[in-house]
Amino acid sequence: MSTHRYHQHFTVSWDQLHRDVRELCHRLVERDFQGIVAITRGGLIPAALIARELNVRLIDTVCIKSYDHKDQGELEVMKGVDHDGDGWLLVDDLVDTGKTARKVREMLPKAHFVTVYAKPEGRPLVDQYLTEVAQDCWIQFPWDMGVAYVEPLADQVKR
């Protein structure tokens, strides 16, 4: 996949991510999960927030690499789990093309799979999501950004 496929950008702040994850938790709070499996790296922070909101203390990870910044390559499973997901909540930040989602579905077919954000190609592979985002939209997550000084407009105009 090429970076040329992104024509829109959606920036998610820490506050927005926290609000979105809490809203997703409102939809999950009635269910009982024995644990959470986070898909690393993107699923780590949503999984931690969900664990706190749902009072789940058992957390595991599935470690899969498929992106190098905006370029998607081959999947590399770096760590799996030793169960089929029965009674577990599987968490990721985003389902995009569905490539990673298909792989984790094979690994954990009985898990309840949630993401905070879903794109049309990957959306059918998850059980629940909060926000749909266009397929050609690059989501800029807060952990990929830093705070930087921005010069006041008046000073920029004077130059």
Side-chain angles (χ1 to χ4, degrees):
M1 293 277 165
S2 166
T3 59
H4 295 98
R5 71 185 183 124
Y6 301 110
H7 302 289
Q8 301 176 56
H9 285 82
F10 174 43
T11 300
V12 179
S13 69
W14 286 111
D15 289 340
Q16 184 65 51
L17 180 73
H18 198 191
R19 280 191 303 272
D20 288 347
V21 171
R22 283 183 59 112
E23 179 60 33
L24 183 59
C25 288
H26 280 285
R27 300 172 187 191
L28 298 168
V29 73
E30 298 298 322
R31 298 186 60 141
D32 241 356
F33 297 104
Q34 72 180 56
I36 293 174
V37 176
I39 300 172
T40 68
R41 289 181 309 202
L44 286 170
I45 292 170
L49 295 170
I50 290 169
R52 190 247 182 216
E53 295 300 330
L54 300 184
N55 203 22
V56 175
R57 304 227 179 230
L58 185 57
I59 302 174
D60 201 351
T61 58
V62 170
C63 305
I64 297 179
K65 180 181 178 184
S66 66
Y67 274 91
D68 184 15
H69 189 53
K70 291 184 182 179
D71 296 320
Q72 189 176 31
E74 293 302 312
L75 286 179
E76 178 186 350
V77 178
M78 302 164 76
K79 178 193 170 288
V81 293
D82 62 356
H83 56 82
D84 64 5
D86 191 25
W88 287 73
L89 180 64
L90 180 60
V91 177
D92 207 355
D93 57 343
L94 164 71
V95 63
D96 191 333
T97 64
K99 201 170 176 183
T100 300
R102 276 185 201 78
K103 186 64 178 174
V104 294
R105 275 286 190 206
E106 288 173 17
M107 297 167 68
L108 298 157
K110 294 183 178 180
H112 186 77
F113 190 178
V114 299
T115 65
V116 185
Y117 307 102
K119 293 185 180 182
E121 287 179 27
R123 187 185 61 231
L125 297 166
V126 298
D127 296 307
Q128 284 182 273
Y129 66 92
L130 183 68
T131 302
E132 185 169 340
V133 179
Q135 196 67 46
D136 67 345
C137 184
W138 178 257
I139 300 177
Q140 191 69 58
F141 287 101
W143 49 83
D144 290 328
M145 297 181 297
V147 178
Y149 173 77
V150 176
E151 187 178 26
L153 289 176
D155 292 344
Q156 291 176 30
V157 171
K158 289 178 185 175
R159 281 190 278 133

